[in-house]
């Protein structure tokens, strides 16, 4: 099975897409903090440290992957 890294897997969209993708891919779910790791592991998915702002973590997380789905983002609330 082909390997897919999803960055931001613990985010709003990442949480929704990882489980269905796991039917077709060997999914590795990237997280940037412990809260994210817990969210991913509660879904029964593989969690890997992948803070995309850290080149060393990103390099380790992407090693051996066939594809990367980049969902990591910084979200901010707009002021009224």
């Amino acid at each position: 099975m082909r390997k897919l890294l999803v960055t931001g897997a613990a985010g709003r969209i990442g949480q929704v897409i990882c489980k269905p993708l796991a039917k077709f891919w060997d999914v590795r779910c990237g997280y940037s903090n412990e809260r994210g790791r817990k969210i991913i592991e509660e879904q029964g998915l593989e969690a890997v440290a992948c803070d995309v702002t850290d080149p060393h973590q990103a390099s380790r997380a992407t090693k051996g992957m066939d594809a990367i789905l980049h969902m990591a983002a910084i979200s901010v609330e707009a002021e009224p």
Side-chain angles (χ1 to χ4, degrees):
M1 190 175 291
R2 296 189 68 184
K3 296 179 180 186
L4 172 68
L5 169 67
V6 179
T7 65
R12 183 171 292 175
I13 297 171
Q15 288 183 53
V16 174
I17 64 171
C18 287
K19 198 90 165 171
L21 284 170
K23 295 176 184 177
F24 306 100
W25 293 82
D26 180 7
V27 177
R28 178 182 288 176
C29 300
Y31 66 90
S32 61
N33 57 49
E34 285 304 303
R35 180 185 154 278
R37 181 186 60 78
K38 289 179 183 178
I39 290 170
I40 293 164
E41 289 178 348
E42 286 174 357
Q43 292 185 25
L45 298 166
E46 178 188 357
V48 62
C50 182
D51 182 337
V52 296
T53 65
D54 181 331
H56 299 291
Q57 268 191 15
S59 179
R60 282 191 300 269
T62 59
K63 188 171 184 149
M65 295 292 102
D66 294 307
I68 300 167
L69 182 56
H70 180 54
M71 303 303 298
I74 296 174
S75 58
V76 294
E77 292 186 30
E79 293 187 31

